[in-house]
Amino acid sequence: CGFEDLPAFSDDMDREEIDLIITFGGDGTLLKASRLFQERVPPILAMHLGTVGFLAAVSEKESFRTSVRDAMNGNFHVTQRQRLSGEIWSDDGTLLHKYRALNELSLHRGPDPLKLISMHVYINGTYLTDAVGDGLIFATPTGSTAYSLSCQGSIVHPNVPAILMTPIAPISLSFRPIILPEDSTIELRLSKKGRHVLHCDGIDNEHTLTQLNRIILRRSTFSIPTICRVGTNEDWITNMNNLLGWNQKLKWIGSTPDRFTDLGED
């Protein structure tokens, strides 16, 4: 089978009849594919043509055609990537919007530099804290290496069943990132004092909230199966080292011959 035999996706396709998705681009392309399939998702083979490609299985240096042939023959392993479900409710109990995020659902103050988010956070019906600051991120383990990581959130293996809560520039220095069990139901009750804008996976779908809204977050029952290069653990370790440069030795800047190449040399 050649690439010319594979149909391009269109909105009028029956999603239940799609057995395999192939994306060409970076991680953002895979996020858009996740957005197109809000419920059951076929296995996704991500071809890396972008910049980082943390979620991609095949880089541009490898054979696209061989990878597609293997995938179509069922010769592959998948990583089941958890998604988050987010619901916006009005005060009269009306469901206004529903989102599913592969990386994160984030709330921030919007463009007004004089406003902060302000909300009450409940976990399984029990009050946890008041969140006040520039924003608040709820991320999946897959999303732990995205927006959450830039705000000092933990890096979490994609097989760990968890939900990450990472504050963005909080007022309180003791408000630190935490990791919650995957079966947690998180309720956010918005304060009249704050301004709140919701983003899903950083895509252009922001929703401005009012103090009459409340938000319910939980793990989605529909995960994303992404095809691996080798296996979940092997791919994750390779990406941590090669793409994130995790815990690698610092390099000296410049090319002066008498400088050490790294801090590990005597």
Side-chain angles (χ1 to χ4, degrees):
C1 176
F3 287 145
E4 63 275 4
D5 300 318
L6 300 175
F9 178 81
S10 62
D11 287 334
D12 58 355
M13 284 183 171
D14 184 353
R15 286 165 170 74
E16 294 299 322
E17 295 183 357
I18 298 176
D19 299 318
L20 175 68
I21 302 172
I22 304 173
T23 64
F24 294 89
D27 291 346
T29 309
L30 195 149
L31 292 175
K32 291 181 180 179
S34 167
R35 190 178 178 188
L36 291 172
F37 291 79
Q38 289 292 292
E39 296 186 352
R40 185 195 73 88
V41 185
I44 299 179
L45 175 62
M47 304 290 196
H48 174 44
L49 298 176
T51 51
V52 179
F54 200 87
L55 302 178
V58 184
S59 72
E60 57 186 351
K61 297 179 181 179
E62 300 169 349
S63 171
F64 287 174
R65 193 175 299 275
T66 300
S67 300
V68 172
R69 185 179 300 113
D70 288 343
M72 296 186 70
N73 291 332
N75 182 24
F76 60 84
H77 299 281
V78 300
T79 298
Q80 291 290 347
R81 297 187 180 275
Q82 170 188 329
R83 287 197 288 183
L84 281 179
S85 172
E87 300 172 349
I88 302 176
W89 293 82
S90 66
D91 61 339
D92 62 1
T94 302
L95 178 60
L96 302 177
H97 295 276
K98 189 170 184 177
Y99 300 96
R100 284 196 176 90
L102 176 57
N103 271 351
E104 74 277 317
L105 287 161
S106 60
L107 292 102
H108 60 87
R109 63 183 182 175
D112 188 345
L114 301 179
K115 291 287 187 179
L116 299 175
I117 67 160
S118 179
M119 66 186 72
H120 313 299
V121 183
Y122 293 79
I123 307 297
N124 296 332
T126 301
Y127 171 77
L128 175 66
T129 190
D130 283 352
V132 182
D134 282 359
L136 192 59
I137 301 168
F138 293 92
T140 65
T142 293
S144 69
T145 52
Y147 192 8
S148 175
L149 181 60
S150 69
C151 297
Q152 309 302 314
S154 298
I155 297 176
V156 181
H157 191 285
N159 281 354
V160 175
I163 299 174
L164 290 73
M165 187 175 79
T166 306
I168 306 171
I171 285 182
S172 172
L173 294 178
S174 64
F175 190 10
R176 310 307 302 165
I178 61 174
I179 299 175
L180 302 169
E182 66 166 343
D183 60 353
S184 300
T185 297
I186 303 160
E187 181 180 355
L188 308 176
R189 301 177 187 176
L190 307 185
S191 168
K192 296 180 181 180
K193 300 178 181 179
R195 187 180 190 278
H196 310 86
V197 177
L198 177 69
H199 272 282
C200 176
D201 280 340
I203 302 175
D204 185 19
N205 58 354
E206 72 174 31
H207 186 94
T208 301
L209 307 170
T210 73
Q211 69 269 19
L212 300 180
N213 296 145
R214 63 188 182 96
I215 303 170
I216 303 295
L217 304 172
R218 58 173 64 90
R219 176 177 179 169
S220 171
T221 56
F222 299 99
S223 60
I224 296 269
T226 57
I227 295 177
C228 306
R229 284 187 299 269
V230 181
T232 301
N233 195 56
E234 294 87 346
D235 285 12
W236 184 76
I237 291 174
T238 298
N239 288 340
M240 286 280 290
N241 289 324
N242 294 346
L243 298 180
L244 289 186
W246 182 74
N247 198 33
Q248 291 185 8
K249 298 175 183 177
L250 298 175
K251 303 289 184 180
W252 286 106
I253 299 174
S255 57
T256 306
D258 59 348
R259 291 194 175 185
F260 301 132
T261 57
D262 60 54
L263 298 183
E265 296 186 9
D266 296 327

